[in-house]
Amino acid sequence: MNLEQVRQAYASLAELYIEMFGTSQQVHPDDLAFIGRHLAGRPGTVLDLGCGPGHITGYLRSLGVDATGIDMVPEFIAHAQAAHPNGRYQLGSLEDLAVANHSIAGILAWYSLIHLPPHNLDGVLAEFRRAMAPAGTLVIGLFVGDEVAAFDHKVVTAYRWPVDEFSARLARAGFTEVERLKRPSDGTHRPHAAIAAIATDG
């Protein structure tokens, strides 16, 4: 699995995805609160990586965050620009952020890392750390399991992680976890977690 395959898979289902997930009202209130708690009220640019239809970028901007949405799917960026004309949305890749070293105040990667093969995760987290300003905040949403394992996501193969192991990967990349949110399966949605972490010198 590579990012081009992921891009093609989401592009082929973009209209359906936008219909199902394209507004902040379709995000769990606890998740929105978690995102806002860690990314609002701080100066500097926040990148919403894998922003999809742009709904969470728009939510962050409604909180006064200087947020930019980035996605590799042109259909998502076109929708985001139309739906949120006052926002900033651009094509890009989370593997190669077009920003200067230590220039970004925060990064939201809300389920945008789930399709990364586990051996690619450390490199992407290192790129996040390169871009992040001192004490910048990273917020990640992920699917949870007892072991790192692939599963048949509705769009394309995805991976679930034990939360402690994912947190250890963050620490290895130079981030320190400050809060996590876990929600078990409710019969409709898979178990998932959110992690907030601060860029550190360690």
Side-chain angles (χ1 to χ4, degrees), residues 136-172:
T137 300
L138 172 62
V139 176
I140 288 176
L142 66 151
F143 292 114
V144 172
D146 293 332
E147 60 183 4
V148 180
F151 67 93
D152 290 330
H153 186 270
K154 290 181 179 179
V155 179
V156 67
T157 300
Y159 296 85
R160 55 174 66 95
W161 286 80
V163 184
D164 287 342
E165 183 165 349
F166 201 99
S167 184
R169 294 289 190 104
L170 291 172
R172 186 188 308 172

